[in-house]
Amino acid sequence: MKLFIITKQTIICLTICLFAAVLAGVISLGAVAQTTQTAAETREIPIYCVDTQEKKVALSFDAAWGNEQTEQLLNILDKYNVKTTFFLVGEWVDKYPDSVKEIAKRGHDVENHSNTHAYMTQLSESDMDTEINECNKKIQDLTGNCPTLFRAPYGDYNNPVVKAVKENDMYCIQWDVDSLDWKDPSPQQIVKNITDKIECGSIILMHNGATNTPEALPIVIESIQAEGYEIVPISEIIPQGDYTTDANGMMHITTKEESESKAKTETTSE
């Protein structure tokens, strides 16, 4: 008959092993819970482009700082009878109210680019609402129309940002074609950056203060039109009704059957 003698050292070793096993189990359960929670939370994605077969693209300009080129850009757009979308920062609106009125007068969409050009993801929900609503009010006071589109400064967004925009009955807009004019490439390179990537339903990003944008704009317009596309404001390319955005940010209109199925699922879950 064998006798097993449990020493103090053995007890300590067993205790350490047991503690390690319990700790590993807790960590594992926490990881599973975190994964489940993440999977359950739907990622909110803004509108980068629109699902359409029509040969239409939307041209947009962000205005956050200078104003030296705005009149020149408006004159070029008038020459080609092209209407676009301008996303204005509230502080820019404060500095250049006459330009805001002129953009609207010439038939372009005047939309919201936040009030102070802040990083929206770093704000509280209350501050997000303030950024959106203060800019809306400034634009509405000058133009008579309240913006329906919002573009986050720096393209910086997360779920709370997109939700805040939607809760204010607005569309959160990004872009799928970046002219990169803010890097001051040559006019020819700006044109190439755009024409190499446009498709039906594309939203193009440009800026009112980039050095070579006025020189590039006529060639951009002519090149886009030469490929058979019509240039329209974003508000005209976005279809009305319920919608979803896929993983690439393409906007798809929700069909009647999909809407009914979603409503049924929400009712059942309640």
Side-chain angles (χ1 to χ4, degrees):
M1 180 178 179
K2 294 183 179 180
L3 294 176
F4 294 92
I5 300 174
I6 301 177
T7 64
K8 183 177 180 181
Q9 184 177 3
T10 303
I11 293 173
I12 293 173
C13 290
L14 289 172
T15 302
I16 292 173
C17 291
L18 179 61
F19 177 78
V22 171
L23 181 61
V26 170
I27 293 173
S28 178
L29 287 173
V32 171
Q34 180 66 34
T35 302
T36 302
Q37 181 180 359
T38 303
E41 184 180 9
T42 302
R43 185 184 175 204
E44 298 281 349
I45 302 178
I47 298 167
Y48 283 76
C49 58
V50 177
D51 180 22
T52 179
Q53 297 303 311
E54 292 186 287
K55 294 205 73 172
K56 291 183 178 181
V57 297
L59 191 59
S60 64
F61 297 87
D62 287 0
W65 292 285
N67 191 39
E68 295 78 11
Q69 299 173 338
T70 305
E71 183 70 20
Q72 187 178 358
L73 294 175
L74 290 174
N75 290 338
I76 294 170
L77 294 169
D78 279 352
K79 176 183 176 181
Y80 289 92
N81 193 29
V82 166
K83 306 303 178 187
T84 64
T85 302
F86 282 78
F87 286 95
L88 310 183
V89 170
E91 292 179 345
W92 192 92
V93 174
D94 292 335
K95 291 179 181 178
Y96 311 110
D98 290 340
S99 291
V100 177
K101 294 177 183 177
E102 191 64 25
I103 292 169
K105 179 181 176 181
R106 299 208 195 184
H108 304 285
D109 285 351
V110 183
E111 304 296 346
N112 189 324
H113 195 33
S114 82
N115 191 50
T116 66
H117 208 260
Y119 283 95
M120 296 290 288
T121 59
Q122 299 178 12
L123 304 179
S124 66
E125 291 184 11
S126 175
D127 287 341
M128 288 180 196
D129 280 338
T130 298
E131 284 287 330
I132 294 168
N133 291 313
E134 287 194 5
C135 184
N136 275 352
K137 184 178 185 306
K138 291 175 181 180
I139 291 174
Q140 186 169 18
D141 287 347
L142 289 172
T143 68
N145 295 314
C146 186
T148 59
L149 310 178
F150 176 85
R151 174 173 283 162
Y154 314 103
D156 179 44
Y157 74 90
N158 56 14
N159 278 15
V161 172
V162 180
K163 289 178 180 177
V165 174
K166 289 181 178 179
E167 287 170 0
N168 281 281
D169 296 322
M170 302 177 73
Y171 294 98
C172 194
I173 305 294
Q174 293 281 93
W175 60 87
D176 67 320
V177 179
D178 191 347
S179 68
L180 298 175
D181 57 351
W182 56 276
K183 290 186 174 182
D184 294 337
S186 68
Q188 293 72 25
Q189 186 61 50
I190 292 174
V191 174
K192 189 174 189 305
N193 291 341
I194 293 172
T195 55
D196 280 357
K197 295 181 179 179
I198 57 170
E199 298 177 349
C200 294
S202 281
I203 296 174
I204 304 163
L205 172 66
M206 301 188 80
H207 296 80
N208 78 315
T211 303
N212 293 320
T213 299
E215 185 178 347
L217 185 56
I219 314 172
V220 167
I221 293 172
E222 291 174 6
S223 299
I224 291 174
Q225 292 177 337
E227 294 189 21
Y229 291 100
E230 178 185 0
I231 301 172
V232 299
I234 294 174
S235 63
E236 291 187 21
I237 207 172
I238 292 179
Q240 299 300 307
D242 293 337
Y243 71 95
T244 59
T245 49
D246 62 23
N248 296 316
M250 179 175 283
M251 178 188 188
H252 303 270
I253 280 296
T254 305
T255 65
K256 181 180 178 181
E257 291 76 13
E258 289 171 335
S259 295
E260 290 175 349
S261 176
K262 180 181 178 182
K264 185 177 180 181
T265 300
E266 289 176 350
T267 301
T268 302
S269 64
E270 292 174 358

